[in-house]
Amino acid sequence: MNYIKPVTLSALALIASFSVYADDMQAKVQAYIKSGFHKGKNQDPKRLEQDETLKVCSETRGKVSGEQAKAIVEREKATIKYPANGILMGNWQKGKKAFTDGFAMRIGRYEPDAPDKVRGGNCYACHAADPKELAAGNLGTNLRGYGKIRGNTWDTVKYTYDKIYNAQSVIPCSNMPRLGHNGVLSPEQIADIVSFLVDPASPVNK
């Protein structure tokens, strides 16, 4: 049985060296990404640092245990902020603009954006919504007829608001950006987007 030991040790050494190599490569990748940031507004490389939720999702590749999923939902729900007036359905016309415009979670650029640039969700990058808007992505759920299908009950409105504000509070390890949590959209903008999706008068539901 002695001949097994060298093979076992070699395998362990290979695994260990690969782990060190992977860690070293990860560090180099992170350093390279950080080097792309420049001084200026919205150029903070701290955005590359993962919080507890993202670390868990990365380490498990999104396949979290029931206990981990529960912890994520509870932690992320606690971050949600609602409009000062308590109204979760705003103006659908404003919501259409916030849904369409902006750049969502873009990281870095060579020159700062103009002060009057709209800060919206760029939601069409992943979702279809208004049937007349053909330039829509399919990475996310097709939202055409959202309110017509789901109705405009309080449960639908609150679920929609929470999902947009912090998708992790609804679906652990969701690929959707935490648009309110990360300050991309204000609570008022999110309420407007909720209206754009739910209001029967919105083109989404025509």
Side-chain angles (χ1 to χ4, degrees):
M1 297 296 289
N2 289 338
Y3 71 90
I4 294 178
K5 291 182 180 178
V7 175
T8 303
L9 290 174
S10 296
L12 290 174
L14 180 61
I15 292 170
S17 63
F18 179 77
S19 178
V20 171
Y21 171 79
D23 290 342
D24 182 57
M25 181 59 69
Q26 181 67 18
K28 288 180 178 178
V29 169
Q30 289 299 317
Y32 181 77
I33 293 173
K34 286 183 179 181
S35 70
F37 283 80
H38 304 280
K39 291 183 179 180
K41 188 178 180 181
N42 297 324
Q43 297 288 322
D44 188 357
K46 287 182 180 178
R47 290 182 60 189
L48 298 175
E49 297 174 8
Q50 293 187 318
D51 60 19
E52 188 175 356
T53 291
L54 294 184
K55 283 180 181 178
V56 171
C57 291
S58 293
E59 290 168 358
T60 61
R61 296 191 176 186
K63 297 179 180 178
V64 292
S65 67
E67 186 176 339
Q68 288 172 320
K70 182 180 179 181
I72 288 173
V73 169
E74 289 180 355
R75 180 167 55 246
E76 301 300 321
K77 275 187 179 297
T79 73
I80 298 177
K81 297 178 181 178
Y82 298 100
N85 61 12
I87 298 174
L88 305 190
M89 258 187 79
N91 181 297
W92 74 256
Q93 290 94 339
K94 290 181 179 179
K96 178 179 179 179
K97 189 171 183 60
F99 190 99
T100 305
D101 297 337
F103 48 82
M105 293 298 291
R106 184 177 69 182
I107 298 179
R109 52 241 185 233
Y110 289 110
E111 296 179 2
D113 286 306
D116 60 346
K117 183 175 178 64
V118 175
R119 189 167 175 79
N122 190 27
C123 305
Y124 277 114
C126 296
H127 300 278
D130 184 343
K132 293 181 180 179
E133 178 58 68
L134 301 180
N138 58 12
L139 204 64
T141 306
N142 187 328
L143 301 175
R144 289 173 181 164
Y146 185 91
K148 186 182 293 186
I149 296 169
R150 295 168 177 78
N152 57 0
T153 64
W154 167 251
D155 287 342
T156 297
V157 169
K158 187 175 184 302
Y159 168 86
T160 305
Y161 183 97
D162 290 354
K163 179 73 180 292
I164 297 170
Y165 191 99
N166 188 337
Q168 300 278 8
S169 72
V170 178
I171 302 176
C173 298
S174 171
N175 290 323
M176 182 170 168
R178 294 176 290 180
L179 297 169
H181 176 78
N182 289 318
V184 175
L185 296 171
S186 68
E188 290 72 26
Q189 283 181 303
I190 295 174
D192 289 337
I193 292 176
V194 171
S195 184
F196 177 59
L197 294 174
V198 174
D199 195 321
S202 168
V204 171
N205 299 308
K206 296 299 183 183

